[in-house]
Amino acid sequence: MHIGEGDEVGFAVYDDGTVTVRDFVSIPADEAWFWTTEWRAGEVQAAAHIAARRTTFHRSAEDMVAHLDSLGGGRCSPSG
């Protein structure tokens, strides 16, 4: 079953005496955002862009901000 010390498991006990053991994965509250449907969809989209080489590389944060500014849509800055 590949269960080790510290692993969490779930059990289901049925009326006929059958016991089913299942893996149980807990997600820390401060990491729950990563597992939302919206975030996972964004991860898939980002992976597709990376695979298709639709990315840019910037040597500094300033270069990245200048690039984003050149795309339009308002000022991009860390302070808002």
Side-chain angles (χ1 to χ4, degrees), residues 28-54:
D30 64 341
E31 295 177 13
W33 57 268
F34 183 81
W35 300 102
T36 62
T37 302
E38 295 82 8
W39 191 269
R40 300 304 305 150
E43 289 290 325
V44 169
Q45 184 180 30
H49 281 272
I50 293 167
R53 297 179 182 257
R54 290 190 307 263

Side-chain angles (χ1 to χ4, degrees), residues 6-62:
D7 291 347
E8 297 182 40
V9 295
F11 296 92
V13 180
Y14 300 95
D15 291 336
D16 67 357
T18 305
V19 178
T20 303
V21 181
R22 297 180 294 169
D23 289 342
F24 179 81
V25 177
S26 64
I27 299 171
D30 64 341
E31 295 177 13
W33 57 268
F34 183 81
W35 300 102
T36 62
T37 302
E38 295 82 8
W39 191 269
R40 300 304 305 150
E43 289 290 325
V44 169
Q45 184 180 30
H49 281 272
I50 293 167
R53 297 179 182 257
R54 290 190 307 263
T55 61
T56 57
F57 174 81
H58 305 283
R59 296 199 179 277
S60 69
E62 291 80 13

